[in-house]
Amino acid sequence: MSNKVIYAIYNDDDILMDAVKKTRAAHHHIEEVFTPFPVHGLDKAMGLAPTRLAICSFIYGLCGLSFATWMMNYIMIQDWPQDIGGKPSFSYIDNMPSFVPIMFEETVFFAAHLMVITFYMRSRMWPFKEAENPDVRTTDDHFLMEVAINNNEEELVSFFEGTGAVEVKVIEKH
Amino acid sequence: MYTFSSKLKTFSFVLMAVGLLGIGYGFLTAPKNIQEVEALLAAESHGGHGEGNHEAASVAHGSETTHEAVSADHAKADAGKHEAKAESEHKEHLEHVFHQLSNKPWAALYVACIFFMLISLGTLAFYAIQQVAQAGWSPVLFRVMQGITAYLPVGSVIFFIILVLCGLHFNHLFIWLDPEVVKHDELIQTKSGFLNFPFWIVRAAIFLAGWNAYRYFSRKNCLAQDESNDNSFYKKNFNYSAGFLVFFIVTESIMSWDWIMSIDPHWFSTLFGWYVFASFFVSGITMICMVTVYLKSRGYLENVNSSHIHDLAKFMFGISIFWTYLWFSQFMLIWYADIPEEITYFITRIQEFRVPFFGAVVMNFLFPVLILINTDFKRITWILVMAGIVILLGHYVDFFNMIMPGTVGNSWFIGVPEIASVLFFLGLFIFVVFSALSKVPLVAKRNPFIEESKHFHY
């Protein structure tokens, strides 16, 4: 079976939004939409599930907080409880205010960096990664919607020509 | 137009009546003389914890006891007769407890009064910031904010009267107002260029007058803008608000020294003004949110959607964290350096106000952070109301922590006088705010940003 897709190209984000809504209403499956900049509300129009990145970040933050607490407790209280300038190193809570800046920074550090790495991994981004632009103009001023063809090529082409596309291409994907 | 529901009106009257009765009860049951205190303490020591307090009281009540401690030292050097010393110590202790107990109903009144007045001041500051920032989301809430700030003139008058009563020696809230104390206290003497009654009361009058003037003219211009053909009143309000914010931040700082920090005149902290500001600013925002949610639930704010509520909740969340940041910065810097003249402030609070002191952090930080971090929760009414109630109670406790240790020391208790004072001012607040809300339409007609605000969507 051939993997044919349609590339419907637009030059305005409002027209794109309308086209996405029409395509969804006509029950054509949108494979992907390429835009040069974030289009507000596009994810909602496409029906994409909300991101769970914030939840990840919260959990990473808790990990950072635990790590900082464990580290400071082990070093300052358990391993070598020295008297440094009269600070009470009898128990963690006794000396906790002086650990708070570290606990805070570790929480932020873990939450931020691990979330970014999660983002890179989930969106498959890394150095030397081959770019996936279907059309170079989509990074500049054009919007592209990719829709799979299932033996309905003619119907789809005429459908997308009716949605205000400046260009409709049928491409064989490998 | 909002109509003040008769149920709410009755409710506010009931609160005021109950509050007044409780306040009266507090003043009536406060001990009148030393003999009563002696009998009270004797009864308490049978209960088993009277003596334990004795020691802590004279150690921790730093502000008031320094001169007593000094004179006690002299007594020790001179006399050396143990019995005479014990006798005089006992007498001093009785006098000390007597002062604390007679301060108690006054301090309860003072905390509740300044708390509600500052809530409306916090709202006013938020309102001015929204004007100056030309915020596109908040104009549909301006009338709600104006309604809440309607309490400011009423609260200011009552508060000013209490300040005057302090100056006329009806109570002993500010020990530097007592010439007998100042005579024996070198530290206060060196500060008396700033801490003297005439200067202090004139400052208070100027601050209160300035804030109320801004509130008055801002509301007047806002109403005039509704009937106007151009934006001149809007521009006027913009300028007034910018001027007010400058005036506000200066006066707010001095206000916090005058009305709160000078209760412990031996202690000082540089970020205290900001700390107090954060406390009542977040309370003000929370109050805006509560009143908005209430009016919305009654069907009066058709233009307010969940995005407006969400924005308010984000402010509650953010400023709660800001308050915690300042609370911790103040505490940690003093704890870390542990300089005796500064640390007594926190020793008193940790030893004798342990539950309210750390409870305030739980209520004002942990709880809102864990609840309001979730985007969906920020739009759910009952969660917001719950978080708002905890935040408001938490900041009442915060003011309680700032004022009580220096006025009643370890004789503190959240009993009838404290609760009654809060109920009275809450009733008055509800009555004044909702009366003001029922006087003008709830949406400003010709604000240049009102259309954007009506369609605000986050």
Side-chain angles (χ1 to χ4, degrees):
Chain A
M1 187 187 151
S2 70
N3 305 320
K4 277 190 172 171
V5 292
I6 278 203
Y7 282 170
I9 299 179
Y10 303 87
N11 58 6
D12 187 286
D13 48 342
D14 287 333
I15 299 171
L16 173 79
M17 284 291 282
D18 284 343
V20 166
K21 281 171 195 158
K22 277 183 203 155
T23 313
R24 289 257 296 163
H27 298 294
H28 298 306
H29 179 68
I30 302 174
E31 297 275 337
E32 193 63 270
V33 176
F34 295 86
T35 64
F37 53 78
V39 177
H40 187 76
L42 183 61
D43 53 340
K44 279 226 177 70
M46 287 171 70
L48 298 181
T51 173
R52 289 166 296 185
L53 214 48
I55 299 169
C56 288
S57 181
F58 185 75
I59 295 168
Y60 297 148
L62 292 182
C63 294
L65 185 63
S66 315
F67 173 72
T69 311
W70 170 80
M71 179 177 73
M72 300 314 294
N73 183 54
Y74 178 70
I75 297 173
M76 302 302 291
I77 310 294
Q78 305 296 330
D79 191 36
W80 199 347
Q82 285 189 100
D83 182 339
I84 303 168
K87 284 277 158 289
S89 49
F90 309 110
S91 74
Y92 192 76
I93 200 74
D94 274 337
N95 208 2
M96 201 195 66
S98 50
F99 302 142
V100 167
I102 296 157
M103 290 155 72
F104 171 76
E105 294 294 346
E106 289 281 17
T107 308
V108 174
F109 180 87
F110 273 59
H113 288 84
L114 292 180
M115 176 181 72
V116 167
I117 293 170
T118 307
F119 168 71
Y120 285 156
M121 287 167 65
R122 287 290 292 154
S123 42
R124 300 171 188 286
M125 280 162 58
W126 53 83
F128 310 112
K129 149 113 182 171
E130 208 172 316
E132 291 169 351
N133 289 7
D135 189 315
V136 287
R137 290 172 298 171
T138 59
T139 63
D140 183 13
D141 62 347
H142 280 64
F143 304 81
L144 186 149
M145 179 163 31
E146 178 182 325
V147 176
I149 293 176
N150 313 301
N151 304 323
N152 53 353
E153 187 176 327
E154 238 114 282
E155 181 206 333
L156 270 186
V157 170
S158 63
F159 174 81
F160 281 109
E161 272 164 355
T163 58
V166 291
E167 207 176 305
V168 179
K169 289 196 284 194
V170 178
I171 300 276
E172 185 96 18
K173 251 197 166 179
H174 302 290
Chain B
M1 283 292 270
Y2 169 72
T3 42
F4 196 168
S5 85
S6 62
K7 260 189 204 161
L8 194 64
K9 200 179 259 178
T10 319
F11 178 62
S12 72
F13 282 132
V14 169
L15 283 180
M16 278 190 269
V18 171
L20 268 184
L21 284 177
I23 292 170
Y25 171 82
F27 278 103
L28 286 178
T29 50
K32 304 281 172 303
N33 50 43
I34 303 271
Q35 282 72 38
E36 271 182 48
V37 177
E38 195 157 22
L40 207 75
L41 283 188
E44 242 178 53
S45 62
H46 287 300
H49 56 274
E51 279 310 293
N53 286 345
H54 186 138
E55 216 64 12
S58 50
V59 173
H61 194 52
S63 52
E64 219 169 313
T65 48
T66 308
H67 87 273
E68 290 172 6
V70 169
S71 56
D73 280 349
H74 284 303
K76 194 194 283 173
D78 294 341
K81 281 182 190 164
H82 286 286
E83 240 164 73
K85 197 179 136 223
E87 180 75 11
S88 75
E89 258 187 13
H90 180 61
K91 225 182 133 207
E92 264 174 26
H93 173 57
L94 281 182
E95 203 164 311
H96 181 64
V97 175
F98 172 59
H99 275 310
Q100 291 186 339
L101 289 179
S102 44
N103 261 345
K104 209 169 160 282
W106 281 102
L109 195 67
Y110 187 79
V111 174
C113 183
I114 196 172
F115 179 62
F116 278 98
M117 188 193 69
L118 290 183
I119 283 183
S120 64
L121 182 64
T123 306
L124 192 67
F126 187 74
Y127 168 76
I129 291 171
Q130 297 298 314
Q131 301 256 359
V132 172
Q134 304 187 327
W137 66 278
S138 52
V140 292
L141 299 173
F142 278 175
R143 289 287 154 87
V144 176
M145 297 182 204
Q146 285 170 358
I148 295 174
T149 57
Y151 178 75
L152 188 63
V154 181
S156 307
V157 168
I158 301 177
F159 183 72
F160 191 75
I161 291 172
I162 294 183
L163 290 189
V164 170
L165 291 181
C166 294
L168 298 177
H169 307 296
F170 278 83
N171 59 52
H172 215 248
L173 291 181
F174 298 90
I175 57 161
W176 57 266
L177 278 170
D178 185 345
E180 271 305 303
V181 173
V182 177
K183 220 185 331 185
H184 296 103
D185 193 319
E186 237 176 287
L187 269 176
I188 299 182
Q189 278 166 22
T190 58
K191 295 182 183 183
S192 58
F194 187 76
L195 289 182
N196 61 74
F197 180 65
F199 189 25
W200 181 72
I201 203 73
V202 167
R203 281 200 303 268
I206 292 172
F207 299 168
L208 293 171
W211 302 335
N212 279 298
Y214 168 69
R215 194 207 83 85
Y216 176 78
F217 288 112
S218 172
R219 180 181 153 98
K220 203 176 149 201
N221 284 338
C222 186
L223 294 177
Q225 171 74 17
D226 271 7
E227 311 300 328
S228 152
N229 301 317
D230 57 11
N231 285 337
S232 58
F233 287 107
Y234 171 80
K235 286 176 186 161
K236 237 186 222 173
N237 254 1
F238 181 92
N239 293 334
Y240 286 2
S241 304
F244 166 74
L245 285 173
V246 175
F247 176 77
F248 170 76
I249 204 61
V250 175
T251 52
E252 190 277 332
S253 199
I254 302 174
M255 166 279 272
S256 71
W257 311 333
D258 276 359
W259 302 342
I260 301 175
M261 199 157 78
S262 80
I263 282 180
D264 304 279
H266 291 163
W267 181 79
F268 49 86
S269 163
T270 37
L271 61 68
F272 196 73
W274 278 109
Y275 169 69
V276 173
F277 167 70
S279 190
F280 71 77
F281 192 53
V282 69
S283 308
I285 295 168
T286 307
M287 192 54 90
I288 298 172
C289 188
M290 299 282 100
V291 175
T292 306
V293 164
Y294 172 78
L295 291 175
K296 176 92 188 142
S297 75
R298 299 285 141 159
Y300 284 108
L301 295 170
E302 52 186 320
N303 294 311
V304 173
N305 56 41
S306 61
S307 295
H308 294 103
I309 308 280
H310 188 154
D311 264 26
L312 283 172
K314 279 190 280 189
F315 270 108
M316 284 161 65
F317 175 73
I319 310 292
S320 283
I321 295 175
F322 178 63
W323 173 86
T324 316
Y325 167 62
L326 294 175
W327 180 91
F328 182 72
S329 302
Q330 176 167 277
F331 171 68
M332 195 265 247
L333 286 179
I334 291 175
W335 173 87
Y336 206 97
D338 206 20
I339 301 172
E341 62 258 39
E342 290 181 358
I343 196 69
T344 50
Y345 185 82
F346 287 111
I347 287 179
T348 317
R349 278 156 183 79
I350 290 174
Q351 286 181 345
E352 285 161 26
F353 289 74
R354 185 175 285 266
V355 173
F357 185 66
F358 292 110
V361 182
V362 174
M363 293 167 87
N364 296 334
F365 173 64
L366 266 189
F367 185 79
V369 153
L370 293 178
I371 289 289
L372 294 180
I373 198 166
N374 190 315
T375 298
D376 298 329
F377 284 6
K378 287 198 264 268
R379 290 161 182 261
I380 300 174
T381 308
W382 70 267
I383 287 185
L384 270 185
V385 170
M386 184 177 66
I389 289 171
V390 172
I391 291 175
L392 287 174
L393 284 177
H395 285 284
Y396 170 76
V397 173
D398 188 30
F399 276 92
F400 188 86
N401 288 337
M402 289 190 242
I403 288 160
M404 287 299 174
T407 50
V408 303
N410 66 339
S411 306
W412 75 274
F413 187 68
I414 299 192
V416 174
E418 286 79 9
I419 295 171
S421 305
V422 172
L423 293 185
F424 172 73
F425 283 105
L426 179 65
L428 185 65
F429 186 85
I430 292 175
F431 178 71
V432 173
V433 168
F434 285 91
S435 306
L437 282 171
S438 63
K439 290 206 179 94
V440 288
L442 285 176
V443 182
K445 242 182 279 169
R446 284 198 70 261
N447 185 300
F449 290 96
I450 196 78
E451 273 315 301
E452 180 182 345
S453 179
K454 281 178 183 170
H455 301 107
F456 173 67
H457 176 76
Y458 166 70

